[in-house]
Amino acid sequence: MMANVQAVSPIGQLPGSGGIGRRSSAPRSQYGSPTHYGSRPNSRVSFSDGSGKPHSRQNSGGRLPRPPSQPRGSPDGSSGRERPPSVRSLHEKVEMSEFLSPAVKTAVRRWKRFHEEKVRERFKERRQSKKLYVQNVQIEKKKLARKIPIDVLALEWMNDNKVTVDARAYLLEKLLPTLILGVEKLLMEVDKRNLAEEMEVNPNFNPINYLAQYLMRNNPKYSNFPEASPYIRGLREVTDEIKNHVFSFEDNRLAKVKAEARKKREEQVRQETLRTKERLARSGRIREHFTDWILDEENEVETHIIHTALKNFKEVLDQLPPDIGKGVNLDAYLKPLNKEKLEAAEFVEYLRNLVTEMTPELFAELMTHMSQCATSYRRAAILEARKEILMELFKACDHATIGIIDRHRVLGLFKAFYDKQAWVNKRHFRNPRRWPVVELDEVGDDESSIAEESNVSSRMSGSVADSRPGTADLSPSTPTEQAKDEGTVEEVDQTKPKIDESVEQPEETASKESSEVLQPPTTDEGEDKPQDTTAADGEDGTGQELPEEKKSEEATDAVDKEADEDEEGAKESHPQTAATGRTTAVSFDEEAIATKDKEKKLSLKSPVKTPTSRSGSVAASAFDQNTLNTSQFVALIEVFLGDDPPEEVVQAVIKFIQEGYVETEEEKFSRLQKARREEQLAKRKVMMDQLFDKWDNDGSGFLDLDELHSVMSKFKENMEKKIVAKAKQMLDKEDNDHRLSKTEFKRYLEVVCSLLPGGEDNFDPLVEFLMTSVERSYEERIRGQARKKWLAQIQQAAETSGASMDPVYKSVFNSLYKDSEQHGRGKRISGNIAMLERNDTAPGRGPTCLRYVASTPDDAHFMVNKIMYRDMKGISFTSVDSGKPIHVPRVQNHGNIMFWNPERQEEDRQGSFIVIPLKDHRKRVFGTMGIDTLNDPQEKSIFITHEISFFQGVAKAFSSAFQYVDIRRKTLRIAESAVSWIHRRSPHVQEISVYIVEPDDKLEDFILRRMLTTDKAGNIETHDHPTKLERKENLFRDYLFRCVDNSETITADAYGHRHTAFPLRDSEGHCVALVDISIGDLKHLPSHENKEVQRMLKLLQYAHKEVSLETEGKEQKVVLEAEKNSEESRIDIMFDRIMLTDLRETVGKLNLRAFAELKSYKDPPKVIHDILASVLSLFYQDKSEVGGELEEYNNCKQYVNQDLIKKIEEFDPTALEAIGAVNRVAARLKEVPHGAVAKHGSLPAQHLYNWAFVCLSLLEHTSKMKMNQKQPLADTPPPGSAMSGGITEQ
């Protein structure tokens, strides 16, 4: 029966329960059975009935449950004696079976699980006990082996038989030790039974069974009894000896295999041991490294910071040799984690998974990179906390509460504070009279920058002690006097510790610092130049003019000293730690050590705050030479404070600026009035843009002048009609030109407002009147909004294209497609774009030609890269010459249309065609855009008025986009020339990268594109697919984004290297590109290299400004003959031409007195002779040949006169007559290194060398251009090769 079913608990029956355990208390269901919500509390079978009580067998020893039909009489639920099961009715049994529900399935599963767990635990225990037993046996064997002597009888197994040596080794190791003892035991038993003399078999003794029993009972795996025998001990020794013999036989292949297998096993064990040790060492290194990321009392580090540092390690991998970084896939490990912060254990586990498969060299590189990132992270935390303090300081200085303060006043406070400081504090700051604190245009010719940072750091020399306030009162003296003074100091201070002579020490830095201590505080706010204590050129300290010979001698000594300093600075290495990259200070005497220890004790701890990505905006701050906003003020103070200033010094600067920045009421009122004026102009600009966009519904970029004039004449009920007509005449528009551009429209409104009574007060009423005067239907408004959106996408494509025209072409054609589908009645259109070029391939067919650079897919095969000449059919040149669009409604009726598709039949030449000229800001035509409907199957597909207006808007938008991309392309080409010059003149520059700035609407910020990079050798690489840098992914390169935010130069350390980010600004002061210069682990460049870098960057900024002004409509500046050939050649040599112009002015300032030094040489150094001869070779080519007059220096001196300076100022190295001197000039200058010129200390020779070097570069470029012109040009150059050139006036 079902009532007899029961399950046995795996734990066993409880005593006193009668074989059935009590059920645990649990809530009951509506039928009275316990409810267990998932699984039962035990494995016993439970029954339930309808009475709501547990089964009677749960409480009484084996009684059956009461059926549901039984009356409830007694308290226990029974009315009398219960009937036995045998006499129950069938109805009761069926009814009871419906209510009884055993739960056997779950109980069986639980029992099986418990049983398996018990068996598994028992198995583990037995295996562990067996393992311990085997270990104990081995230990007992070793102990027993030490006590038992060796039996010499075992040596009989040793013989010279090479054939049996392998078999003997196997038998001695595996079988004989136990078998011999068994045979011995058998023989002893035979003697004991006296069976040795009997010839008959004893039925009671079987020797084979006896020996088998012995072998089984003494298995070597479980018994160490054989080890107790001296004979067996001897066998072990013999076995080891035989094994050595086995491996010495060349013909024993099995032995070799075994030996190799053993070696492999040993090697595997050794490798596994080494891997374990390496794994533990790496975990310890990572655990120690975790503390580098901790800020203050926090014991966690943000996950995204570590993730960013690891992602940036890819850049390090790209620079490592292939054998080190090969096979490392960081992307497989860099998975985003759910946690925002990591603790120490999580940090170790996260990095340990990454470094498991890394080689030791690669792991070392990773830890070095992570340590550098941790240093940058702590530095960023200090700057983040300091930023809030400086922002509060800005608010305190902004008395007018307009968000800007006076920049020159702040710089003046910097100079005053800097001049008042002693050397101990001054060394922490950057000189406020030098770049990058001030702009390159504000730095004098005698100032330097990167070469002399704020912290003199580890490059301090013995002369530093002389620059302390106590010894800074030395007046400038001649080199001989200085030598005498140094000798005196050496004799007096013999007790002081000497400096290690192996460390080269620059002397000029200390002398400059000592002279700066003597400078009085600057009180004039507008003065940027320092008050030098040294004498001016040509004068002594009393203002009297020095003799010429003395001046020349002092100049030579000064340049020699500077060159020595440069050479020392180039050769010295910086003591740095691999983890932090910080310089190790060098002490020189006991006083310096005491001062430093005192600073450490008294130094306050800099506050820190978890750094966040400093949010920027698409519209970054524009640089203004007169004002500073909040972010620019913070950045300027950070630059002035240097790398790692003590906190008390920072507080002193803040206090000094807060107390010293004072404005009068007039200044505050003037600044407030200026701010309100700028705000009003900005508001009016926005209002006029909105008004123009409302009138220009189709986005053509032009307004109808007659329509606008008629509406404006109704202003104030026609009372100002004459004034409006007068303003129209003042526009100076041509009679046939009835269109107004946006610029002309703004000027028209300004003229009208100025002529109306009340002046500018009429602006708001006039704009409101014009806004309400124009009415558009719903269809026109919808159409205008869509078209303006598409036109904006064209400009956006240009801004985010990475200086490529392909996205712009695609956006233009997409706009045409969308408009034809939605507002052109579904026309199927085709479009093409052609650029106007000089006709160098076939000059007889016209001076210019049109090259098709882009087309829609239907016509791309027939048109792209094709050239249209003036003697060919077509209306494109008519549009180019007139500067007006030409519309042909029916192509089949026009006889002057060029069909590029030769397969097009006559009946397929139906449709409409329009050509629109493309113009720049000066309204010069540089190309055409053609649109047609020849592929449209409809017969009547003529363009209507609003479509033509939109096409004109597309052409105007494309022109603006083209100019935007063009200026960036030109900037990159000029930057490429500047970068090559920097590497050529500054060998200590490690790497240079050029970035362009692009907006990103998705991020509401800007991004940087790495367009150009160089390596240590100066090799330039231009990236066709430049990578993007986002702010949130480049926390450790935040200096690049801060440079763009503030449009100011930023100097910072990134990944252990010193970087300087220099911005290239547009006409409004915004940063559009930047140059990132890395000097490696150096803290500063040598002086002459630093000056060259500054000069190149200054000229690069000037060249970018010139290109920007040309794009905005300024006349092109053509100086050299090569610039007249083509636009490409002009851009290629623009930087060299600007350098040449600058050097012309520099050489022109030299007079005959300056050249007297060159004439005074009787036997000059070879460098001086080569420089002068190379300069004269450009003017006297017939005398520069081998054996000519210029081979003698006395002959060269005769040509050094005023006429030479005049020739230098007028010389054009790109002219045809100068090309012949390339080889002779190159041969002479090749042996003259740049640093050697400064070492000889001749200022005129330095200027002449620079001028000759630039001339040589231009000569080589011109020679290459002439050779390329002689070669035949290809008929189909690559697309986009002609960006501009050959532009005709309207």
Side-chain angles (χ1 to χ4, degrees), residues 747-883:
R747 185 158 56 90
Y748 186 31
L749 290 185
E750 292 173 356
V751 172
V752 171
C753 292
S754 62
L755 295 178
L756 288 174
E760 296 183 355
D761 295 337
N762 296 290
F763 180 81
D764 293 340
L766 179 60
V767 171
E768 184 179 358
F769 170 76
L770 292 176
M771 290 286 286
T772 57
S773 299
V774 60
E775 296 181 0
R776 305 292 182 189
S777 63
Y778 177 77
E779 180 182 359
E780 291 176 339
R781 291 199 300 270
I782 296 299
R783 186 179 65 202
Q785 292 175 1
R787 287 178 170 175
K788 290 172 184 176
K789 177 182 177 181
W790 298 331
L791 294 177
Q793 290 177 353
I794 297 176
Q795 184 64 27
Q796 183 180 4
E799 294 175 353
T800 58
S801 64
S804 174
M805 285 299 300
D806 292 340
V808 180
Y809 295 143
K810 183 177 179 180
S811 180
V812 168
F813 295 140
N814 285 338
S815 300
L816 295 176
Y817 283 147
K818 293 177 181 178
D819 185 76
S820 64
E821 293 176 0
Q822 298 184 16
H823 309 296
R825 300 178 182 179
K827 293 186 182 70
R828 183 179 177 182
I829 65 172
S830 301
N832 58 78
I833 297 174
M835 293 297 167
L836 192 65
E837 300 179 358
R838 287 173 55 93
N839 185 11
D840 295 329
T841 57
R845 305 183 69 177
T848 57
C849 62
L850 285 172
R851 184 185 300 274
Y852 290 91
V853 296
S855 175
T856 51
D858 296 338
D859 299 333
H861 179 68
F862 305 102
M863 299 192 67
V864 175
N865 288 328
K866 294 298 179 63
I867 300 177
M868 174 177 281
Y869 297 99
R870 285 187 172 269
D871 57 355
M872 298 171 63
K873 277 186 177 183
I875 60 174
S876 298
F877 280 105
T878 305
S879 177
V880 169
D881 296 336
S882 63

Side-chain angles (χ1 to χ4, degrees), residues 1025-1051:
H1025 302 284
T1027 56
K1028 293 182 180 180
L1029 273 70
E1030 298 180 6
R1031 188 191 299 264
K1032 63 179 181 179
E1033 299 293 338
N1034 291 271
L1035 176 64
F1036 305 107
R1037 291 191 183 274
D1038 186 56
Y1039 68 96
L1040 297 173
F1041 298 89
R1042 288 190 285 124
C1043 176
V1044 180
D1045 286 336
N1046 305 311
S1047 299
E1048 293 182 342
T1049 304
I1050 300 294
T1051 300

Side-chain angles (χ1 to χ4, degrees), residues 163-177:
V163 178
T164 63
V165 63
D166 190 22
R168 283 185 285 123
Y170 175 79
L171 292 174
L172 290 175
E173 182 180 10
K174 302 294 183 182
L175 180 61
L176 292 180

Side-chain angles (χ1 to χ4, degrees), residues 33 42 44 63 112 181-182 223 299 462-463 468 520-521 574 603 623 741 817 869 886 1029 1133 1160 1181 1251:
S33 61
N42 53 39
R44 300 182 184 277
R63 292 183 178 181
K112 286 183 178 180
L181 294 180
S223 174
N299 293 322
S463 59
R468 293 192 300 270
H574 297 269
S603 177
F623 174 76
S741 64
Y817 283 147
Y869 297 99
I886 298 179
L1029 273 70
I1133 66 174
S1160 62
Q1181 299 185 21
W1251 179 84

